[in-house]
């Protein structure tokens, strides 16, 4: 048989990346659902965790640190976006690594990530529980309520934080178990809208507060000289302020870590409608 009479083989038939085609019949997740799902994470326990690490780089220019880490993060985010669009399957790194390198390498990568995420869930739930304590303490100051302050103090113990963190995990597990994917992401969407609006208000208010105004307000609530007393106590216990690039080198890893969560939407790209539009919103949009 001549080559002219042989049936033509398409590029898709020549290179079969997946065993079966994705049906695409059920794709309940949209771009903005993904955006708020990731946005809620970076406004949850992670910021508290990062704030607790700022003492590692006292005197650093944090605005510059975040700007310097934004550039490589944007580059890597673009790679994840392209991978997710070209291989729209749920699984994220496993799909990319197993198809791009080798299935065993993909397994090892996912095996390590599994334990890392299990550990992270517990840590971030614990820090998320601290949010509850901070919120109660804030309202106790605003309302001058001793009962709220007592409740905040009771919930601030290690045991109480552990129980509260466990309850947060249980609530989310129940949400994922007994609701459909679409319903779960709808809840996440509207919760994210509220959090985004609150975040905008929070930063707008903080932009009007000077260091002098903050120290005055802090002394008003905590007692005269409390603001400077905290600084003096830290210095007497070994705190030293660095400057220049020495402080910046300490701050850069923390700033880098703050950006890492933009990779998550690639894990459920197989559930997205119009993945070519939704994934950039969920990854690039959150990073910005």
């Amino acid at each position: 048989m001549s080559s002219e009479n042989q049936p033509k083989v398409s590029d898709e038939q020549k290179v079969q990346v997946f065993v079966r085609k994705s049906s695409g019949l059920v794709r309940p997740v949209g771009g903005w659902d993904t955006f708020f799902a990731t946005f809620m994470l970076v406004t949850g326990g992670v910021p508290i965790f990062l704030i607790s690490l700022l003492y590692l780089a006292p005197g650093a220019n944090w605005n510059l640190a975040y700007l310097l880490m934004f550039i490589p993060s944007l580059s890597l985010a673009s790679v994840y976006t392209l991978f997710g669009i070209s291989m729209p399957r749920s699984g994220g790194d496993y799909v990319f690594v197993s198809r791009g390198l080798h299935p065993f390498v993909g397994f090892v990568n996912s095996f390590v990530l599994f334990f890392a995420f299990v550990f992270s869930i517990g840590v971030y739930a614990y820090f998320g529980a601290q949010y509850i304590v901070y919120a109660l303490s804030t309202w106790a100051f605003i309302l001058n309520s001793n009962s709220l302050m007592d409740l905040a103090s009771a919930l601030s113990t290690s045991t109480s934080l552990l129980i509260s963190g466990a309850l947060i995990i249980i609530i989310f597990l129940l949400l994922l178990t007994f609701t459909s994917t679409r319903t779960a992401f709808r809840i996440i969407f509207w919760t994210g809208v509220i959090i985004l609006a609150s975040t905008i208000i929070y930063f707008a208010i903080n932009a009007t507060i000077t260091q002098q105004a903050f120290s005055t307000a802090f002394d008003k609530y905590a007692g005269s000289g409390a603001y400077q007393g905290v600084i003096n106590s830290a210095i007497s216990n070994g705190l030293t302020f660095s400057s220049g690039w020495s402080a910046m080198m300490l701050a850069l890893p923390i700033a880098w870590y703050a950006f890492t969560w933009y990779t998550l939407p690639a894990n459920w790209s197989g559930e997205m409608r119009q993945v070519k539009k939704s994934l950039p919103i969920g990854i690039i949009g959150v990073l910005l």
Side-chain angles (χ1 to χ4, degrees), residues 116-226:
F117 275 110
V118 168
F119 176 78
S120 298
I121 289 172
V123 171
Y124 297 143
Y126 180 87
F127 284 114
Q130 287 187 329
Y131 257 162
I132 300 174
V133 176
Y134 296 158
L136 290 174
S137 300
T138 301
W139 281 107
F141 278 124
I142 294 174
L143 301 176
N144 195 24
S145 172
N146 292 328
S147 58
L148 282 179
M149 184 57 69
D150 291 339
L151 178 60
S153 299
L155 293 177
S156 64
T157 64
S158 298
T159 302
S160 298
L161 289 173
L162 183 63
I163 295 174
S164 299
L167 289 176
I168 291 174
I169 295 175
I170 292 172
I171 291 172
F172 274 97
L173 287 177
L174 292 175
L175 174 66
L176 295 175
T177 302
F178 295 103
T179 61
S180 65
T181 303
R182 181 174 180 80
T183 301
F185 271 92
R186 284 291 87 187
I187 295 173
I188 291 173
F189 174 85
W190 289 111
T191 305
V193 170
I194 296 173
I195 292 177
L196 177 59
S198 302
T199 302
I200 293 174
I201 295 172
Y202 170 80
F203 279 107
I205 294 175
N206 275 274
T208 64
I209 301 175
T210 63
Q211 182 179 359
Q212 181 61 40
F214 176 81
S215 61
T216 301
F218 188 86
D219 289 343
K220 178 181 178 181
Y221 285 112
S224 178

Side-chain angles (χ1 to χ4, degrees), residues 35 67 222 264:
F35 174 89
L67 179 61
L264 289 180

